Amino acid sequence: MSRLQIKNQDQKDAYTSPWSKKEAILIRIWELTWNVFVRWMPKFCYPWYLFLLRLFGCRIHGKPFIAPSCRIYAPWLLEIGDKSCFGLRSEIYNLGKITVGERVTVAQYAYLCNGTHDFNDSRLPLLVGNMIIEDDVFIGAKAIILPGLDIAKGSIIGAGAVLTKDTMPLGIYAGNPAKYIKDRKMNWEN
């Protein structure tokens, strides 16, 4: 938890939102915009999705692909690198900043969760971190990534894995909680 910070030090109790009114309204406007103008559209319209993400503050490099059924909570807290992909029904629950490198695949139904609560405090304050996913990472279907983690270059997170700790470069991780299995053998020239 030392890498996570309290979102709002002034949160009075467990029933008070840690978000400012402006943030709460912007989140709702974003959700409505995505559902009305993107969610039902075909995949080939992805440049339109990128335009809307940029409009809401997402930092986009190159040409990533975002599936229309992907759910991104707060685009202004997201940075995506070239040729990265968020698959069908993946969820980017970025209550804190998430930085995604180049050529990263987040497969269908994967869940990147960058927020939790301090359960030792009766106010249950929201804790957020900075999640970093380096280049050439593959996150398998239905994998769950917990808050504030660093996923090193070339790592693979297996389908259904629950990642609770940082990874090593080129490491393959699987299970619940995810454990190191072996190194990835990759031809970096192709």
Side-chain angles (χ1 to χ4, degrees), residues 134-138 152-156 169-171 184 186 188:
E134 295 182 14
D135 298 345
D136 303 300
V137 167
F138 184 90
K153 181 177 174 117
S155 295
I156 295 175
L170 298 175
R184 177 182 188 181
M186 187 169 174
W188 291 98

Side-chain angles (χ1 to χ4, degrees), residues 26 30 35 43 49 53 64 96 108 112 115 120 133 153 162 165:
L26 193 54
W30 163 249
N35 286 329
K43 285 184 189 181
Y49 319 157
L53 284 164
Q108 65 273 17
L112 308 184
N120 295 318
I133 303 172
K153 181 177 174 117
V162 178
K165 296 182 181 176

Side-chain angles (χ1 to χ4, degrees), residues 144-165:
I144 298 172
I145 311 298
L146 295 185
L149 297 181
D150 290 339
I151 304 176
K153 181 177 174 117
S155 295
I156 295 175
I157 313 305
V162 178
L163 189 67
T164 61
K165 296 182 181 176

Side-chain angles (χ1 to χ4, degrees), residues 50-62:
L50 298 181
F51 169 77
L52 286 175
L53 284 164
R54 282 187 178 103
L55 188 66
F56 278 83
C58 183
R59 294 186 60 207
I60 296 173
H61 308 281

Side-chain angles (χ1 to χ4, degrees), residues 117-128:
H117 296 274
D118 182 351
F119 297 105
N120 295 318
D121 185 327
S122 63
R123 299 175 303 146
L124 297 176
L126 177 63
L127 299 174
V128 296

Side-chain angles (χ1 to χ4, degrees), residues 83-87 100 102-107 136-140:
K83 298 180 182 173
S84 288
C85 171
F86 293 163
V100 177
E102 296 182 352
R103 299 170 305 281
V104 170
T105 298
V106 178
D136 303 300
V137 167
F138 184 90
I139 299 173

